[in-house]
Amino acid sequence: MKSLGTFKSIATRLKKQIVIAKEAVVECEKNYNGNPCTRTLSALGLAEKKLAVLEEKLGNATEMIEHYDFYQWCWEKEQDEAIAYASRI
């Protein structure tokens, strides 16, 4: 399992990428409003999808950070059970 620090650095990196993605969405919106065509609409759609994916990933990383102790405990329990099962075979 990844360390808590790894998840925190992932969250920090995603936050930076979200800022950039939001700027890209704003730029695409400006381009679309100035030139409403299929190409600018497509670019806007792609920028919005990328932003949504980044926000979802950040939500997952934040969830992992907030409940890290529980997930760590579950992972350790699974490892212990796997070892116990392997020793019985």
Side-chain angles (χ1 to χ4, degrees), residues 14-76:
L14 287 168
K15 287 176 185 176
K16 291 176 184 177
Q17 290 176 354
I18 286 173
V19 169
I20 294 167
K22 284 181 180 179
E23 291 171 358
V25 168
V26 168
E27 185 65 30
C28 287
E29 286 173 344
K30 278 196 241 178
N31 289 341
Y32 179 72
N33 291 333
N35 181 20
C37 67
T38 306
R39 189 174 65 170
T40 56
L41 181 60
S42 176
L44 177 58
L46 289 173
E48 288 174 339
K49 284 180 186 177
K50 181 178 180 178
L51 178 59
V53 167
L54 289 171
E55 288 175 338
E56 182 179 349
K57 287 181 179 181
L58 178 59
N60 293 339
T62 302
E63 171 79 16
M64 193 66 178
I65 291 166
E66 290 173 354
H67 302 289
Y68 184 80
D69 292 337
F70 174 72
Y71 294 132
Q72 179 71 24
W73 177 82
C74 291
W75 183 79
E76 289 172 359

Side-chain angles (χ1 to χ4, degrees), residues 78-89:
E78 284 181 10
Q79 296 299 313
D80 293 344
E81 290 174 4
I83 291 170
Y85 178 76
S87 67
R88 285 184 280 171
I89 295 178

